Amino acid sequence: MKKNLIIVESPTKSKTISRFLGKNYAVKASMGHLRDLPKSTLGVDVEHDFTPKYINIRGKGDLIRELKAEAAKADKVYLATDPDREGEAISWHLAHILGLDDKSPCRIEFHEITSGAVKEALKHPRSINMSMVDAQQTRRIIDRLVGYKLSPLLWRKVRKGLSAGRVQSVAVKIIADRDKQIDEFVPEEFWTIRAKLREEAKAPLFDAEATKKNGLKLEVRNAQEAMAVEADLKEAAYKVEAAFRKTVSRRALPPFTTSTLQQEASHKLNFTTRRTMMVAQQLYEGVTIGKSSAGLITYMRTDSTRLSEEAVASTRELVTQLFGAEYCPEKPNVFTNKRNAQDAHEAIRPTSVARTPSEMEPYLTKEQFRLYKLIWDRTVASQMTPAEYEQTTLTIGAGAYELKATGSIMTFDGHLRLADKKELNAEKQAEVPFIKSGTVLTLHKVLPGEQHFTEPPAHYTEASLVKKMEEEGIGRPSTYSPIIQTIQTRGYVAREGKKLMATELGIKVADMLTGHFGDIINIPYSAHMENELDAIAAHQVEKEKTLADFYKPFEQLLEEADRVIPKDPPPLQLSGEKCELCGKDMVIREGRFGKFQACSGFPQCHNTKPLLVKIGVPCPNCGGEVTQRRTKTGRVFYGCEHYPVCEFTSWDRPTEKPCPVCGKQLLERVEGNGKVKYFCSDPACTNAAPKRVGRRKKVTTASLMEAENGVAAEKTKKTKTRRKTAKAKTAGTKKRGRKPAVKKAEE
């Protein structure tokens, strides 16, 4: 009997597919890439058409030997990596390692992990698409050139240990520019004036807002002007000058793309982009349902809103069955893609809409269920009829003033049948009765004017940053989450609640890179490069030309920047404290975990201690200053300056506001949805904060010590890494039968 080998990327996927196929199929996982550019050198020959030098990834030797042995026993090897450029490149590397002909029909592709999809793919194997491989290689080589050429420049001009990225730097600049807009924003005061009116004595009341005066837009800028308008309206006679009633439809939203899934999961489930993609990957690769396994959603990296004909037909059938014929439109709903969409895959949808969320809940984790329900609801709703509203608008004359009253009533819920209560409540508007033009109205009362201030643009969140990158054509569905993760890991961006804010280091690096490499590290060029990669994948452009067009100006900019940017590091800033060990001045330095104090006598003296950032609020326990600190993972918390004498610590920011119950200090907590709430700092008070739900660790004196010793922790981590590497080398020599070298003891 013939033996066939199928190689996928993950063990979960291999387990799911194994259950679909017979005993003559073996399914193994490559665990992602097996070859890559070397870490120790550039690995790209810029003199000879940018030829990459690939090596087997360290630590994957045993896996490579296992796959080679399996391939040698198989009559046929199928490469079934993910259906995108990265997956195509992994298949190409696998073909090289296993000695397969990449022009032979060794590649299979499926967009959902179901029995039918996998078996159908096996009937239509193809050769490896070298155009897609070239596009992936081009991105990888450009990112390597930028990272390995720019990072040393940052080491020389800013500080050691920094790294640069072509797209990540643009993302940091976007966030930094928004932060600057917020800092420079000057709020403007304005007032709104409303009146409560009715048609006759017992008729229902409704609100109308003053919008014009003498035919011009009414602008009320202070309390005095507001009081004058209120006085005029109290004396005015009211009459309906125009009345309109119309039916308004609200169409369903399209099925999810990667971008919209990440945004909606952030808004509704409070998931980060990383968490969303991790859970979506689990649903795609497959879950155990009773005695079988199946992937529950289609491939989750896509920019298309298209659904297959089979998916549309089954969804429409389900809608009619569950909700009735009036909820299923006469023709299928069709949605247009964005102008720069590749449309290589379908939208993200359930592999079978017959698997309802309630039926799948017993087989899913809580996170998996919530995300699956979000995808299922969106897919089914996309093929339902529009929601309909009856909208009423009244234009009311009141002397020199004109007022507007607008309201609507939902007459048919349509696709909103699947909306949750929170979404339905957001849809509700005040009811306004339809009153014929010319009708005289009775004034019930003029409401006190409401003071407002114009607000600055909101800080970027992960959701809004993904939306911005998609609008500007920066990155692709598979890169949004890694970009956001990378800029936070590097310390260029900090996350507080849902807000993303550029750190001082991030602003410095972004300004330097965009200032000296503005022709390459900017939004238009990043979008242009994505289009170039698309053209390479479509076999319209040669990768060598794209690489040459990039590298020549980049090399010139690199030489210019190295010459222009000052080589001398900025003078050390004194912290105002003396070293307890040697008496020399302490200076402010910046490390991986932020700023800290270090002895100016380094390297003779290695004393370091944290730089306390005071927030101007007294400690609830002892009255000392509260300081803002960070754990070694970068998360902000608050502690007393007198630690360890005073052990006050809190995730929530202390304020000077008194508790309305007991009078003690209130703590400010930013919820996951961005809302701010205040709780008493005394845990015994009835107004105390409820316990946080989730996996967050409790703040303890130990966590405070982690932040206190951030620099030491960094050194310890490096030491552990060196020991681990040395241990691995020793283990390797033992495995190969050689004795490890033993250093002679000194006499």
Side-chain angles (χ1 to χ4, degrees), residues 162-194:
L162 298 179
S163 57
R166 176 179 58 88
V167 182
Q168 293 92 330
S169 300
V170 176
V172 175
K173 181 64 174 174
I174 289 173
I175 296 171
D177 287 346
R178 175 61 61 85
D179 293 348
K180 186 177 180 182
Q181 288 178 2
I182 295 170
D183 292 340
E184 295 176 351
F185 182 81
V186 179
E188 295 182 3
E189 181 182 4
F190 70 97
W191 291 67
T192 55
I193 316 295
R194 305 177 69 86

PDB file of all heavy atoms in Angstrom, residues 162-194:
ATOM      1  N   LEU A 162      19.255  48.972  20.702  1.00  0.00           N
ATOM      2  CA  LEU A 162      18.048  49.350  19.974  1.00  0.00           C
ATOM      3  C   LEU A 162      17.975  48.616  18.644  1.00  0.00           C
ATOM      4  O   LEU A 162      18.975  48.120  18.125  1.00  0.00           O
ATOM      5  CB  LEU A 162      18.026  50.860  19.719  1.00  0.00           C
ATOM      6  CG  LEU A 162      17.994  51.761  20.951  1.00  0.00           C
ATOM      7  CD1 LEU A 162      17.990  53.219  20.530  1.00  0.00           C
ATOM      8  CD2 LEU A 162      16.773  51.458  21.805  1.00  0.00           C
ATOM      9  N   SER A 163      16.774  48.540  18.093  1.00  0.00           N
ATOM     10  CA  SER A 163      16.598  47.922  16.783  1.00  0.00           C
ATOM     11  C   SER A 163      15.604  48.753  15.986  1.00  0.00           C
ATOM     12  O   SER A 163      14.768  49.453  16.549  1.00  0.00           O
ATOM     13  CB  SER A 163      16.101  46.479  16.922  1.00  0.00           C
ATOM     14  OG  SER A 163      14.890  46.444  17.650  1.00  0.00           O
ATOM     15  N   ALA A 164      15.725  48.675  14.665  1.00  0.00           N
ATOM     16  CA  ALA A 164      14.875  49.468  13.779  1.00  0.00           C
ATOM     17  C   ALA A 164      14.132  48.550  12.831  1.00  0.00           C
ATOM     18  O   ALA A 164      14.609  47.478  12.470  1.00  0.00           O
ATOM     19  CB  ALA A 164      15.727  50.462  12.978  1.00  0.00           C
ATOM     20  N   GLY A 165      12.958  48.972  12.432  1.00  0.00           N
ATOM     21  CA  GLY A 165      12.156  48.220  11.472  1.00  0.00           C
ATOM     22  C   GLY A 165      11.515  49.163  10.476  1.00  0.00           C
ATOM     23  O   GLY A 165      11.133  50.281  10.829  1.00  0.00           O
ATOM     24  N   ARG A 166      11.393  48.709   9.247  1.00  0.00           N
ATOM     25  CA  ARG A 166      10.863  49.565   8.183  1.00  0.00           C
ATOM     26  C   ARG A 166       9.411  49.969   8.461  1.00  0.00           C
ATOM     27  O   ARG A 166       9.063  51.146   8.449  1.00  0.00           O
ATOM     28  CB  ARG A 166      10.956  48.819   6.844  1.00  0.00           C
ATOM     29  CG  ARG A 166      10.350  49.533   5.661  1.00  0.00           C
ATOM     30  CD  ARG A 166      10.527  48.707   4.410  1.00  0.00           C
ATOM     31  NE  ARG A 166       9.943  47.382   4.527  1.00  0.00           N
ATOM     32  CZ  ARG A 166       8.665  47.115   4.234  1.00  0.00           C
ATOM     33  NH1 ARG A 166       7.857  48.063   3.838  1.00  0.00           N
ATOM     34  NH2 ARG A 166       8.202  45.883   4.358  1.00  0.00           N
ATOM     35  N   VAL A 167       8.549  49.001   8.733  1.00  0.00           N
ATOM     36  CA  VAL A 167       7.131  49.293   8.945  1.00  0.00           C
ATOM     37  C   VAL A 167       6.866  49.676  10.392  1.00  0.00           C
ATOM     38  O   VAL A 167       6.058  50.559  10.670  1.00  0.00           O
ATOM     39  CB  VAL A 167       6.271  48.081   8.540  1.00  0.00           C
ATOM     40  CG1 VAL A 167       4.796  48.393   8.717  1.00  0.00           C
ATOM     41  CG2 VAL A 167       6.546  47.684   7.101  1.00  0.00           C
ATOM     42  N   GLN A 168       7.569  49.017  11.336  1.00  0.00           N
ATOM     43  CA  GLN A 168       7.343  49.318  12.748  1.00  0.00           C
ATOM     44  C   GLN A 168       7.643  50.778  13.066  1.00  0.00           C
ATOM     45  O   GLN A 168       6.936  51.406  13.863  1.00  0.00           O
ATOM     46  CB  GLN A 168       8.216  48.413  13.624  1.00  0.00           C
ATOM     47  CG  GLN A 168       7.836  46.953  13.561  1.00  0.00           C
ATOM     48  CD  GLN A 168       8.601  46.203  12.498  1.00  0.00           C
ATOM     49  OE1 GLN A 168       8.976  46.770  11.484  1.00  0.00           O
ATOM     50  NE2 GLN A 168       8.826  44.917  12.719  1.00  0.00           N
ATOM     51  N   SER A 169       8.687  51.341  12.444  1.00  0.00           N
ATOM     52  CA  SER A 169       9.046  52.741  12.697  1.00  0.00           C
ATOM     53  C   SER A 169       7.942  53.676  12.227  1.00  0.00           C
ATOM     54  O   SER A 169       7.664  54.702  12.868  1.00  0.00           O
ATOM     55  CB  SER A 169      10.361  53.085  11.996  1.00  0.00           C
ATOM     56  OG  SER A 169      11.414  52.267  12.472  1.00  0.00           O
ATOM     57  N   VAL A 170       7.291  53.328  11.116  1.00  0.00           N
ATOM     58  CA  VAL A 170       6.176  54.139  10.627  1.00  0.00           C
ATOM     59  C   VAL A 170       5.012  54.075  11.603  1.00  0.00           C
ATOM     60  O   VAL A 170       4.357  55.089  11.895  1.00  0.00           O
ATOM     61  CB  VAL A 170       5.733  53.665   9.225  1.00  0.00           C
ATOM     62  CG1 VAL A 170       4.519  54.450   8.752  1.00  0.00           C
ATOM     63  CG2 VAL A 170       6.874  53.813   8.225  1.00  0.00           C
ATOM     64  N   ALA A 171       4.752  52.886  12.147  1.00  0.00           N
ATOM     65  CA  ALA A 171       3.661  52.738  13.115  1.00  0.00           C
ATOM     66  C   ALA A 171       3.931  53.563  14.368  1.00  0.00           C
ATOM     67  O   ALA A 171       3.025  54.212  14.911  1.00  0.00           O
ATOM     68  CB  ALA A 171       3.485  51.262  13.474  1.00  0.00           C
ATOM     69  N   VAL A 172       5.184  53.549  14.840  1.00  0.00           N
ATOM     70  CA  VAL A 172       5.541  54.360  16.014  1.00  0.00           C
ATOM     71  C   VAL A 172       5.352  55.841  15.706  1.00  0.00           C
ATOM     72  O   VAL A 172       4.848  56.607  16.541  1.00  0.00           O
ATOM     73  CB  VAL A 172       6.990  54.077  16.448  1.00  0.00           C
ATOM     74  CG1 VAL A 172       7.400  55.012  17.585  1.00  0.00           C
ATOM     75  CG2 VAL A 172       7.143  52.633  16.894  1.00  0.00           C
ATOM     76  N   LYS A 173       5.749  56.264  14.512  1.00  0.00           N
ATOM     77  CA  LYS A 173       5.608  57.671  14.119  1.00  0.00           C
ATOM     78  C   LYS A 173       4.136  58.080  14.084  1.00  0.00           C
ATOM     79  O   LYS A 173       3.790  59.191  14.500  1.00  0.00           O
ATOM     80  CB  LYS A 173       6.252  57.876  12.740  1.00  0.00           C
ATOM     81  CG  LYS A 173       6.201  59.304  12.231  1.00  0.00           C
ATOM     82  CD  LYS A 173       6.995  60.263  13.093  1.00  0.00           C
ATOM     83  CE  LYS A 173       7.041  61.656  12.491  1.00  0.00           C
ATOM     84  NZ  LYS A 173       7.697  62.625  13.403  1.00  0.00           N
ATOM     85  N   ILE A 174       3.267  57.199  13.602  1.00  0.00           N
ATOM     86  CA  ILE A 174       1.827  57.486  13.572  1.00  0.00           C
ATOM     87  C   ILE A 174       1.319  57.739  14.988  1.00  0.00           C
ATOM     88  O   ILE A 174       0.582  58.691  15.254  1.00  0.00           O
ATOM     89  CB  ILE A 174       1.065  56.321  12.915  1.00  0.00           C
ATOM     90  CG1 ILE A 174       1.354  56.272  11.406  1.00  0.00           C
ATOM     91  CG2 ILE A 174      -0.440  56.448  13.149  1.00  0.00           C
ATOM     92  CD1 ILE A 174       0.778  55.052  10.716  1.00  0.00           C
ATOM     93  N   ILE A 175       1.724  56.875  15.921  1.00  0.00           N
ATOM     94  CA  ILE A 175       1.285  57.017  17.318  1.00  0.00           C
ATOM     95  C   ILE A 175       1.874  58.273  17.938  1.00  0.00           C
ATOM     96  O   ILE A 175       1.176  59.023  18.646  1.00  0.00           O
ATOM     97  CB  ILE A 175       1.685  55.764  18.123  1.00  0.00           C
ATOM     98  CG1 ILE A 175       0.944  54.533  17.586  1.00  0.00           C
ATOM     99  CG2 ILE A 175       1.394  55.949  19.611  1.00  0.00           C
ATOM    100  CD1 ILE A 175       1.439  53.224  18.159  1.00  0.00           C
ATOM    101  N   ALA A 176       3.147  58.537  17.672  1.00  0.00           N
ATOM    102  CA  ALA A 176       3.810  59.721  18.241  1.00  0.00           C
ATOM    103  C   ALA A 176       3.167  61.012  17.722  1.00  0.00           C
ATOM    104  O   ALA A 176       2.990  61.973  18.491  1.00  0.00           O
ATOM    105  CB  ALA A 176       5.296  59.697  17.909  1.00  0.00           C
ATOM    106  N   ASP A 177       2.832  61.046  16.444  1.00  0.00           N
ATOM    107  CA  ASP A 177       2.189  62.236  15.879  1.00  0.00           C
ATOM    108  C   ASP A 177       0.831  62.476  16.515  1.00  0.00           C
ATOM    109  O   ASP A 177       0.446  63.624  16.769  1.00  0.00           O
ATOM    110  CB  ASP A 177       2.041  62.085  14.362  1.00  0.00           C
ATOM    111  CG  ASP A 177       3.369  62.217  13.631  1.00  0.00           C
ATOM    112  OD1 ASP A 177       4.343  62.676  14.262  1.00  0.00           O
ATOM    113  OD2 ASP A 177       3.443  61.853  12.438  1.00  0.00           O
ATOM    114  N   ARG A 178       0.074  61.407  16.771  1.00  0.00           N
ATOM    115  CA  ARG A 178      -1.222  61.565  17.429  1.00  0.00           C
ATOM    116  C   ARG A 178      -1.046  62.075  18.854  1.00  0.00           C
ATOM    117  O   ARG A 178      -1.793  62.958  19.308  1.00  0.00           O
ATOM    118  CB  ARG A 178      -1.963  60.227  17.408  1.00  0.00           C
ATOM    119  CG  ARG A 178      -3.291  60.208  18.184  1.00  0.00           C
ATOM    120  CD  ARG A 178      -4.316  61.203  17.654  1.00  0.00           C
ATOM    121  NE  ARG A 178      -4.682  60.931  16.276  1.00  0.00           N
ATOM    122  CZ  ARG A 178      -5.628  60.063  15.903  1.00  0.00           C
ATOM    123  NH1 ARG A 178      -6.289  59.370  16.823  1.00  0.00           N
ATOM    124  NH2 ARG A 178      -5.926  59.930  14.618  1.00  0.00           N
ATOM    125  N   ASP A 179      -0.058  61.543  19.569  1.00  0.00           N
ATOM    126  CA  ASP A 179       0.216  62.027  20.929  1.00  0.00           C
ATOM    127  C   ASP A 179       0.555  63.512  20.925  1.00  0.00           C
ATOM    128  O   ASP A 179       0.128  64.270  21.816  1.00  0.00           O
ATOM    129  CB  ASP A 179       1.378  61.241  21.548  1.00  0.00           C
ATOM    130  CG  ASP A 179       1.025  59.785  21.812  1.00  0.00           C
ATOM    131  OD1 ASP A 179      -0.167  59.447  21.733  1.00  0.00           O
ATOM    132  OD2 ASP A 179       1.948  59.002  22.087  1.00  0.00           O
ATOM    133  N   LYS A 180       1.303  63.944  19.908  1.00  0.00           N
ATOM    134  CA  LYS A 180       1.671  65.355  19.806  1.00  0.00           C
ATOM    135  C   LYS A 180       0.438  66.219  19.551  1.00  0.00           C
ATOM    136  O   LYS A 180       0.293  67.297  20.138  1.00  0.00           O
ATOM    137  CB  LYS A 180       2.684  65.543  18.673  1.00  0.00           C
ATOM    138  CG  LYS A 180       3.244  66.951  18.568  1.00  0.00           C
ATOM    139  CD  LYS A 180       4.288  67.042  17.461  1.00  0.00           C
ATOM    140  CE  LYS A 180       4.844  68.466  17.356  1.00  0.00           C
ATOM    141  NZ  LYS A 180       5.834  68.584  16.258  1.00  0.00           N
ATOM    142  N   GLN A 181      -0.464  65.757  18.692  1.00  0.00           N
ATOM    143  CA  GLN A 181      -1.710  66.487  18.438  1.00  0.00           C
ATOM    144  C   GLN A 181      -2.510  66.657  19.723  1.00  0.00           C
ATOM    145  O   GLN A 181      -3.075  67.721  19.982  1.00  0.00           O
ATOM    146  CB  GLN A 181      -2.559  65.736  17.410  1.00  0.00           C
ATOM    147  CG  GLN A 181      -2.026  65.771  15.988  1.00  0.00           C
ATOM    148  CD  GLN A 181      -2.899  64.950  15.048  1.00  0.00           C
ATOM    149  OE1 GLN A 181      -3.922  64.393  15.447  1.00  0.00           O
ATOM    150  NE2 GLN A 181      -2.488  64.855  13.805  1.00  0.00           N
ATOM    151  N   ILE A 182      -2.545  65.591  20.524  1.00  0.00           N
ATOM    152  CA  ILE A 182      -3.302  65.646  21.778  1.00  0.00           C
ATOM    153  C   ILE A 182      -2.662  66.641  22.745  1.00  0.00           C
ATOM    154  O   ILE A 182      -3.357  67.429  23.404  1.00  0.00           O
ATOM    155  CB  ILE A 182      -3.386  64.238  22.397  1.00  0.00           C
ATOM    156  CG1 ILE A 182      -4.208  63.311  21.488  1.00  0.00           C
ATOM    157  CG2 ILE A 182      -3.998  64.289  23.798  1.00  0.00           C
ATOM    158  CD1 ILE A 182      -4.159  61.856  21.887  1.00  0.00           C
ATOM    159  N   ASP A 183      -1.324  66.609  22.840  1.00  0.00           N
ATOM    160  CA  ASP A 183      -0.615  67.512  23.760  1.00  0.00           C
ATOM    161  C   ASP A 183      -0.795  68.978  23.352  1.00  0.00           C
ATOM    162  O   ASP A 183      -0.870  69.865  24.215  1.00  0.00           O
ATOM    163  CB  ASP A 183       0.874  67.168  23.797  1.00  0.00           C
ATOM    164  CG  ASP A 183       1.143  65.825  24.452  1.00  0.00           C
ATOM    165  OD1 ASP A 183       0.266  65.349  25.203  1.00  0.00           O
ATOM    166  OD2 ASP A 183       2.218  65.238  24.200  1.00  0.00           O
ATOM    167  N   GLU A 184      -0.822  69.243  22.055  1.00  0.00           N
ATOM    168  CA  GLU A 184      -0.915  70.624  21.562  1.00  0.00           C
ATOM    169  C   GLU A 184      -2.358  71.109  21.430  1.00  0.00           C
ATOM    170  O   GLU A 184      -2.581  72.277  21.101  1.00  0.00           O
ATOM    171  CB  GLU A 184      -0.208  70.731  20.204  1.00  0.00           C
ATOM    172  CG  GLU A 184       1.293  70.492  20.273  1.00  0.00           C
ATOM    173  CD  GLU A 184       1.948  70.516  18.913  1.00  0.00           C
ATOM    174  OE1 GLU A 184       1.203  70.552  17.905  1.00  0.00           O
ATOM    175  OE2 GLU A 184       3.197  70.502  18.848  1.00  0.00           O
ATOM    176  N   PHE A 185      -3.307  70.238  21.669  1.00  0.00           N
ATOM    177  CA  PHE A 185      -4.710  70.599  21.467  1.00  0.00           C
ATOM    178  C   PHE A 185      -5.169  71.636  22.497  1.00  0.00           C
ATOM    179  O   PHE A 185      -4.893  71.504  23.693  1.00  0.00           O
ATOM    180  CB  PHE A 185      -5.589  69.353  21.563  1.00  0.00           C
ATOM    181  CG  PHE A 185      -7.045  69.617  21.317  1.00  0.00           C
ATOM    182  CD1 PHE A 185      -7.536  69.724  20.023  1.00  0.00           C
ATOM    183  CD2 PHE A 185      -7.921  69.772  22.377  1.00  0.00           C
ATOM    184  CE1 PHE A 185      -8.872  69.967  19.795  1.00  0.00           C
ATOM    185  CE2 PHE A 185      -9.266  70.011  22.159  1.00  0.00           C
ATOM    186  CZ  PHE A 185      -9.741  70.114  20.861  1.00  0.00           C
ATOM    187  N   VAL A 186      -5.854  72.658  22.028  1.00  0.00           N
ATOM    188  CA  VAL A 186      -6.424  73.687  22.902  1.00  0.00           C
ATOM    189  C   VAL A 186      -7.940  73.583  22.829  1.00  0.00           C
ATOM    190  O   VAL A 186      -8.542  73.838  21.772  1.00  0.00           O
ATOM    191  CB  VAL A 186      -5.978  75.103  22.472  1.00  0.00           C
ATOM    192  CG1 VAL A 186      -6.606  76.150  23.383  1.00  0.00           C
ATOM    193  CG2 VAL A 186      -4.456  75.210  22.492  1.00  0.00           C
ATOM    194  N   PRO A 187      -8.608  73.160  23.902  1.00  0.00           N
ATOM    195  CA  PRO A 187     -10.063  72.980  23.849  1.00  0.00           C
ATOM    196  C   PRO A 187     -10.793  74.312  23.710  1.00  0.00           C
ATOM    197  O   PRO A 187     -10.349  75.342  24.231  1.00  0.00           O
ATOM    198  CB  PRO A 187     -10.379  72.300  25.186  1.00  0.00           C
ATOM    199  CG  PRO A 187      -9.247  72.670  26.084  1.00  0.00           C
ATOM    200  CD  PRO A 187      -8.037  72.807  25.213  1.00  0.00           C
ATOM    201  N   GLU A 188     -11.906  74.283  23.011  1.00  0.00           N
ATOM    202  CA  GLU A 188     -12.755  75.462  22.837  1.00  0.00           C
ATOM    203  C   GLU A 188     -14.116  75.202  23.479  1.00  0.00           C
ATOM    204  O   GLU A 188     -14.685  74.125  23.317  1.00  0.00           O
ATOM    205  CB  GLU A 188     -12.925  75.783  21.346  1.00  0.00           C
ATOM    206  CG  GLU A 188     -11.629  76.192  20.667  1.00  0.00           C
ATOM    207  CD  GLU A 188     -11.847  76.555  19.209  1.00  0.00           C
ATOM    208  OE1 GLU A 188     -13.011  76.535  18.762  1.00  0.00           O
ATOM    209  OE2 GLU A 188     -10.854  76.837  18.510  1.00  0.00           O
ATOM    210  N   GLU A 189     -14.599  76.205  24.164  1.00  0.00           N
ATOM    211  CA  GLU A 189     -15.871  76.086  24.875  1.00  0.00           C
ATOM    212  C   GLU A 189     -17.040  76.327  23.919  1.00  0.00           C
ATOM    213  O   GLU A 189     -16.983  77.197  23.052  1.00  0.00           O
ATOM    214  CB  GLU A 189     -15.910  77.104  26.017  1.00  0.00           C
ATOM    215  CG  GLU A 189     -17.179  77.059  26.857  1.00  0.00           C
ATOM    216  CD  GLU A 189     -17.182  78.121  27.952  1.00  0.00           C
ATOM    217  OE1 GLU A 189     -16.216  78.929  27.984  1.00  0.00           O
ATOM    218  OE2 GLU A 189     -18.130  78.148  28.750  1.00  0.00           O
ATOM    219  N   PHE A 190     -18.098  75.525  24.077  1.00  0.00           N
ATOM    220  CA  PHE A 190     -19.349  75.798  23.365  1.00  0.00           C
ATOM    221  C   PHE A 190     -20.512  75.253  24.193  1.00  0.00           C
ATOM    222  O   PHE A 190     -20.344  74.392  25.051  1.00  0.00           O
ATOM    223  CB  PHE A 190     -19.330  75.202  21.949  1.00  0.00           C
ATOM    224  CG  PHE A 190     -19.379  73.694  21.900  1.00  0.00           C
ATOM    225  CD1 PHE A 190     -20.577  73.016  21.697  1.00  0.00           C
ATOM    226  CD2 PHE A 190     -18.217  72.941  22.048  1.00  0.00           C
ATOM    227  CE1 PHE A 190     -20.624  71.641  21.650  1.00  0.00           C
ATOM    228  CE2 PHE A 190     -18.242  71.559  21.999  1.00  0.00           C
ATOM    229  CZ  PHE A 190     -19.452  70.900  21.799  1.00  0.00           C
ATOM    230  N   TRP A 191     -21.706  75.801  23.911  1.00  0.00           N
ATOM    231  CA  TRP A 191     -22.899  75.456  24.680  1.00  0.00           C
ATOM    232  C   TRP A 191     -24.009  74.991  23.737  1.00  0.00           C
ATOM    233  O   TRP A 191     -24.088  75.440  22.594  1.00  0.00           O
ATOM    234  CB  TRP A 191     -23.399  76.662  25.481  1.00  0.00           C
ATOM    235  CG  TRP A 191     -22.480  77.061  26.608  1.00  0.00           C
ATOM    236  CD1 TRP A 191     -21.232  77.572  26.497  1.00  0.00           C
ATOM    237  CD2 TRP A 191     -22.774  76.983  27.997  1.00  0.00           C
ATOM    238  NE1 TRP A 191     -20.696  77.826  27.730  1.00  0.00           N
ATOM    239  CE2 TRP A 191     -21.622  77.473  28.684  1.00  0.00           C
ATOM    240  CE3 TRP A 191     -23.865  76.559  28.745  1.00  0.00           C
ATOM    241  CZ2 TRP A 191     -21.568  77.538  30.063  1.00  0.00           C
ATOM    242  CZ3 TRP A 191     -23.804  76.627  30.124  1.00  0.00           C
ATOM    243  CH2 TRP A 191     -22.662  77.105  30.780  1.00  0.00           C
ATOM    244  N   THR A 192     -24.842  74.069  24.251  1.00  0.00           N
ATOM    245  CA  THR A 192     -26.037  73.666  23.504  1.00  0.00           C
ATOM    246  C   THR A 192     -27.268  74.024  24.336  1.00  0.00           C
ATOM    247  O   THR A 192     -27.268  73.858  25.570  1.00  0.00           O
ATOM    248  CB  THR A 192     -26.035  72.161  23.198  1.00  0.00           C
ATOM    249  OG1 THR A 192     -25.887  71.422  24.422  1.00  0.00           O
ATOM    250  CG2 THR A 192     -24.905  71.803  22.249  1.00  0.00           C
ATOM    251  N   ILE A 193     -28.287  74.506  23.639  1.00  0.00           N
ATOM    252  CA  ILE A 193     -29.534  74.921  24.305  1.00  0.00           C
ATOM    253  C   ILE A 193     -30.663  74.077  23.737  1.00  0.00           C
ATOM    254  O   ILE A 193     -30.837  74.000  22.516  1.00  0.00           O
ATOM    255  CB  ILE A 193     -29.842  76.415  24.064  1.00  0.00           C
ATOM    256  CG1 ILE A 193     -28.570  77.280  24.232  1.00  0.00           C
ATOM    257  CG2 ILE A 193     -30.969  76.876  24.984  1.00  0.00           C
ATOM    258  CD1 ILE A 193     -28.004  77.297  25.606  1.00  0.00           C
ATOM    259  N   ARG A 194     -31.449  73.469  24.639  1.00  0.00           N
ATOM    260  CA  ARG A 194     -32.562  72.619  24.219  1.00  0.00           C
ATOM    261  C   ARG A 194     -33.833  73.064  24.914  1.00  0.00           C
ATOM    262  O   ARG A 194     -33.799  73.639  26.012  1.00  0.00           O
ATOM    263  CB  ARG A 194     -32.281  71.149  24.539  1.00  0.00           C
ATOM    264  CG  ARG A 194     -30.976  70.633  23.954  1.00  0.00           C
ATOM    265  CD  ARG A 194     -30.705  69.197  24.363  1.00  0.00           C
ATOM    266  NE  ARG A 194     -31.646  68.280  23.737  1.00  0.00           N
ATOM    267  CZ  ARG A 194     -31.469  67.767  22.520  1.00  0.00           C
ATOM    268  NH1 ARG A 194     -30.390  68.095  21.813  1.00  0.00           N
ATOM    269  NH2 ARG A 194     -32.343  66.941  22.009  1.00  0.00           N
TER     270      ARG A 194
END
